[in-house]
Amino acid sequence: MATTPEPTTRVRRIPELQRHDRRELDAVLDAGLVAHVGIVDDAQPYVLPLAYVRDGDRLLLHGSTGSRLLRALAAGAPTCATVTLLDGLVVARSAFESSMQYRCAMVFGRCTPVEDAEVALGRFTDGLLPARTSEVRPSRPKEVAATLILELPLDHWSVKVSDDDPEDPDEDLAGDAWAGVLPIETRYGLPRPAGDLRAGIGVPASVRQLEGQSITPPGAGGG
Amino acid sequence: MATTPEPTTRVRRIPELQRHDRRELDAVLDAGLVAHVGIVDDAQPYVLPLAYVRDGDRLLLHGSTGSRLLRALAAGAPTCATVTLLDGLVVARSAFESSMQYRCAMVFGRCTPVEDAEVALGRFTDGLLPARTSEVRPSRPKEVAATLILELPLDHWSVKVSDDDPEDPDEDLAGDAWAGVLPIETRYGLPRPAGDLRAGIGVPASVRQLEGQSITPPGAGGG
């Protein structure tokens, strides 16, 4: 199902970059934190950054019941959720051949509010900070009610991975210009305690395990 | 003009995060590399990651004449270009209050192909790698013709900056859970020469000056 060719998921531009393995989709989605989600309102597209977590065969998108566009998403408007991981600048011997290394996943479909809101909020929390739910109090019913978690099934999607060196024509290879890749790295830094943190409360395991870690390890989505 | 309230640019959700100073827009746009650009085709939104550079009062978006959706953008379909810089995870004392630090700019409007394609390609190249055009040969007419650079005027936009500590209710402040921010840092790494680089060609100034540099310095778009 996931790789059924659909009009919306066939990559027309540079099709050789497309990947068809579901594991490659998961690798890209699992390395990202924010999806850019498209929604149309009166013929005007809006692109909203939404925190997300992959939970099996669905994306969980986190929003608030207070947002008009999110309510439209929840009502089932067609959407596209795009996750892009930028891996580097491809510096070719000409301006024309210069480009970027990236991994990009697009998921098409319609969202629905999750039926298991409390479970989904936990999955969401632990998806960002593993086992964080074990360190905090349970969510209160009014908190669950005020949180809008949408699910988008991973049925229709496309993945594109650009991880090549620059490809210059022969006549440029003979020239004096440098060519290569300038990598881009995204990492978690050192945790900063809140100004109102009570004395004696140390950095918990959920945060400590991410400190200094690469968020989007190069090649995680490559193949 | 830039800050005229428009239906599309008024932030309804958490309006206190909205910034109205054009310099804040520029700071966010100048720190990013990829915009997520929305386009509607037959009621289906698509969200495309496109490399961009701000050039004064316009965004230059880089594409190819071979892309159907980019041709639709070039034809003036309404669009939304969103640039999001993710600055950290806000770890609150409850799952509910946890969130993210980010800077987000949305630009609304219609694109047109640039009239000064050769100049714009140079601006684009130097916008990513300062003075790179002085290190490579001039673009050839056929290369300029095959490159689609779109411009989107910076007339209608909104900027949202979330840079606060977690804000927990009083009853949670007394608890034992840690709270703080886990920063996210994006940097350029060490340049890797292309496999086919001729011996004796060193890393040029355009690349060397970015090596190890932070791409989205925290606070660049904050206020």
Side-chain angles (χ1 to χ4, degrees), chain B residues 177-195:
Chain B
W178 186 85
V181 174
L182 183 59
I184 292 174
E185 298 161 358
T186 303
R187 299 190 166 273
Y188 291 109
L190 297 179
R192 294 191 302 264

Side-chain angles (χ1 to χ4, degrees), chain A residues 100-213:
Chain A
M100 291 183 179
Q101 289 191 339
Y102 62 86
R103 291 163 281 163
C104 177
M106 293 185 185
V107 181
F108 300 92
R110 294 167 190 269
C111 294
T112 49
V114 294
E115 293 186 354
D116 52 345
E118 196 169 345
V119 171
L121 182 54
R123 293 275 171 80
F124 194 89
T125 301
D126 288 344
L128 292 176
L129 284 173
R132 178 63 179 161
T133 51
S134 69
E135 299 168 349
V136 294
R137 62 166 172 76
S139 290
R140 301 189 174 116
K142 69 169 184 184
E143 294 175 337
V144 174
T147 304
L148 184 59
I149 297 189
L150 301 178
E151 68 174 61
L152 180 61
L154 298 178
D155 289 342
H156 301 299
W157 49 268
S158 75
V159 172
K160 239 171 127 173
V161 176
S162 174
D163 55 7
D164 284 334
D165 265 12
E167 292 177 8
D168 288 299
D170 289 345
E171 61 266 33
D172 285 337
L173 294 182
D176 290 329
W178 187 84
V181 173
L182 182 60
I184 292 174
E185 298 160 357
T186 304
R187 301 191 165 273
Y188 291 110
L190 298 179
R192 294 191 301 263
D196 58 8
L197 186 68
R198 289 198 297 114
I201 301 182
V203 177
S206 66
V207 174
R208 222 169 37 226
Q209 71 191 319
L210 295 183
E211 177 184 318
Q213 294 296 305

Side-chain angles (χ1 to χ4, degrees), chain B residues 74-110:
Chain B
T79 191
C80 168
T82 298
V83 173
T84 306
L85 312 172
L86 191 55
D87 291 326
L89 302 184
V90 178
V91 184
R93 295 164 179 88
S94 67
F96 181 71
E97 293 290 346
S98 297
S99 62
M100 291 183 179
Q101 289 190 340
Y102 61 85
R103 290 163 281 162
C104 177
M106 293 185 185
V107 181
F108 301 92
R110 295 168 190 268

Side-chain angles (χ1 to χ4, degrees), chain A residues 7-8 12-13 33-34 36-40 43-49 51-52 62 64 66-68 78-80 82-84 86 89 91-96 98 100-101 104 106 108-109 121 125 128-129 132-133 135-137 139-140 142-144 146-147 165-166 168-169 171-198 201-204 206-207 210-211 215, chain B residues 7-8 12-13 33-34 36-40 43-49 51-52 62 64 66-68 78-84 86 89 91-96 98 100-101 104 106 108-109 121 125 128-129 132-133 135-137 139-140 142-144 146-147 165-166 168-169 171-198 201-204 207 210-211 215:
Chain A
T8 49
R12 291 178 176 83
R13 176 71 197 145
L33 295 168
V34 168
H36 281 84
V37 177
I39 175 137
V40 187
Q44 170 69 50
Y46 291 80
V47 177
L48 310 176
Y52 78 90
H62 189 279
S64 157
S67 159
R68 181 180 59 96
T79 192
C80 168
T82 298
V83 173
T84 306
L86 192 55
L89 302 184
V91 184
R93 294 165 181 86
S94 67
F96 181 70
S98 297
M100 291 183 179
Q101 289 191 339
C104 177
M106 293 185 185
F108 300 92
L121 182 54
T125 301
L128 292 176
L129 284 173
R132 178 63 179 161
T133 51
E135 299 168 349
V136 294
R137 62 166 172 76
S139 290
R140 301 189 174 116
K142 69 169 184 184
E143 294 175 337
V144 174
T147 304
D165 265 12
D168 288 299
E171 61 266 33
D172 285 337
L173 294 182
D176 290 329
W178 187 84
V181 173
L182 182 60
I184 292 174
E185 298 160 357
T186 304
R187 301 191 165 273
Y188 291 110
L190 298 179
R192 294 191 301 263
D196 58 8
L197 186 68
R198 289 198 297 114
I201 301 182
V203 177
S206 66
V207 174
L210 295 183
E211 177 184 318
I215 299 177
Chain B
T8 50
R12 291 178 176 82
R13 176 71 195 146
L33 295 167
V34 169
H36 282 82
V37 177
I39 175 139
V40 186
Q44 169 69 49
Y46 291 79
V47 177
L48 309 176
Y52 77 90
H62 189 278
S64 158
S67 159
R68 180 181 59 94
T79 191
C80 168
T82 298
V83 173
T84 306
L86 191 55
L89 302 184
V91 184
R93 295 164 179 88
S94 67
F96 181 71
S98 297
M100 291 183 179
Q101 289 190 340
C104 177
M106 293 185 185
F108 301 92
L121 182 54
T125 302
L128 292 175
L129 285 172
R132 178 63 178 161
T133 51
E135 298 168 348
V136 295
R137 62 166 174 75
S139 291
R140 300 190 174 113
K142 69 169 182 182
E143 293 176 336
V144 174
T147 304
D165 264 13
D168 288 299
E171 61 266 32
D172 285 337
L173 294 183
D176 290 330
W178 186 85
V181 174
L182 183 59
I184 292 174
E185 298 161 358
T186 303
R187 299 190 166 273
Y188 291 109
L190 297 179
R192 294 191 302 264
D196 58 8
L197 186 68
R198 289 198 298 113
I201 301 181
V203 176
V207 174
L210 295 183
E211 178 184 320
I215 299 177

